[in-house]
Amino acid sequence: MTQHSSDAQVAPPLFQWAVFPVVMGGVCLLAWWQMRLGTPPAVAILGPQLFGILAVALLERLYPYHRSWLHSHADIRVDAAHTVTIGLASTLVQPFVISAGVAIATLLSATLGSSLWPDTWPLLFQVLLALVLGELPGYWVHRWQHHWDGLWRFHSIHHSAPRLYWLNAGRFHVVDLLSTYVPTYLLLAFLGCGGEVLAFFGLITAVHGIFQHSNLQLRLGPLNYFFSMAEL
């Protein structure tokens, strides 16, 4: 049974095990459906991403891990400001990063006579590959952020949160965000990753980040080997 604060209602086991796969699966299916209708990938993920955020925010009220974390610790304004800032920064930077990666990939593809990305694979397997490869730059940058004082000065803001809840998933300094965001998207674009795959990568990463910082009673079991979640 998941540990929880004594004043929080214990979530049913079915909720604890199902909340993450159901919400994540739901947002992905909704995005896929939108793309099948002809909606551009970058637009198709906006509604599902908002749905995922709202779902976690509301479910925290139903089955919180710590009821005391439902109340402001003088942090909501700070978290909201950081979230808006990084949202604008990533939106402005993404087109340039992807364009640079695509340009390099095009030159390399012309030289090799084929694309590096397995675009003939089923979409599901392409997305899984993107999630694995996209973790590589982020993993090493995150390690450096904890070991190098120059990067830690920016990354420490993320660890200054007084509680865990959905909104502090966006508590990042812009330099901290871009040091992870740029290498990841540049690598995927450089490899020739298509627009749909990049969109799903961004959607899954965003919703996972909300769950990762959520004040929710949840269990993942063996999936903890693949997802770094709030349970850990």
Side-chain angles (χ1 to χ4, degrees):
M1 180 65 68
T2 302
Q3 294 181 354
H4 57 90
S5 57
S6 57
D7 60 340
Q9 180 181 353
V10 179
L14 179 61
F15 173 89
Q16 296 184 33
W17 287 97
V19 59
F20 175 68
V22 167
V23 174
M24 180 64 82
V27 300
C28 289
L29 283 174
L30 183 57
W32 177 83
W33 176 65
Q34 287 290 308
M35 293 181 198
R36 297 288 77 77
L37 292 177
T39 306
V43 178
I45 65 172
L46 295 179
Q49 183 172 327
L50 179 60
F51 171 79
I53 293 171
L54 290 176
V56 173
L58 292 174
L59 290 171
E60 280 187 344
R61 298 285 165 177
L62 183 62
Y63 293 118
Y65 186 83
H66 288 299
R67 188 164 294 279
S68 62
W69 286 354
L70 295 177
H71 309 293
S72 175
H73 288 46
D75 54 353
I76 293 180
R77 183 178 300 177
V78 174
D79 290 331
H82 279 292
T83 299
V84 171
T85 301
I86 68 166
L88 291 173
S90 60
T91 300
L92 292 173
V93 169
Q94 186 184 48
F96 298 100
V97 174
I98 293 178
S99 296
V102 169
I104 298 172
T106 301
L107 291 174
L108 187 61
S109 178
T111 302
L112 298 177
S114 63
S115 172
L116 294 175
W117 189 259
D119 50 17
T120 57
W121 288 11
L123 179 61
L124 174 62
F125 293 112
Q126 292 188 56
V127 172
L128 292 176
L129 179 62
L131 290 171
V132 172
L133 295 179
E135 278 294 303
L136 297 177
Y139 169 80
W140 285 105
V141 170
H142 193 196
R143 287 193 62 143
W144 295 334
Q145 287 168 339
H146 280 264
H147 286 282
W148 291 358
D149 289 340
L151 288 176
W152 172 249
R153 292 177 183 179
F154 300 107
H155 187 59
S156 61
I157 292 174
H158 185 63
H159 290 276
S160 66
R163 60 176 172 143
L164 283 176
Y165 74 118
W166 68 274
L167 187 56
N168 63 25
R171 182 184 279 240
F172 286 99
H173 191 283
V174 173
V175 172
D176 185 26
L177 170 77
L178 295 181
S179 64
T180 303
Y181 179 93
V182 171
T184 294
Y185 275 85
L186 188 60
L187 171 64
L188 293 177
F190 164 75
L191 292 174
C193 191
E196 283 194 1
V197 180
L198 283 174
F200 275 110
F201 175 83
L203 173 64
I204 294 170
T205 301
V207 176
H208 170 256
I210 298 296
F211 268 104
Q212 191 177 49
H213 297 81
S214 66
N215 179 26
L216 271 176
Q217 298 174 42
L218 50 78
R219 301 290 297 275
L220 264 73
L223 287 180
N224 279 313
Y225 287 102
F226 302 96
F227 296 96
S228 174
M229 292 289 285
E231 182 183 4
L232 299 178

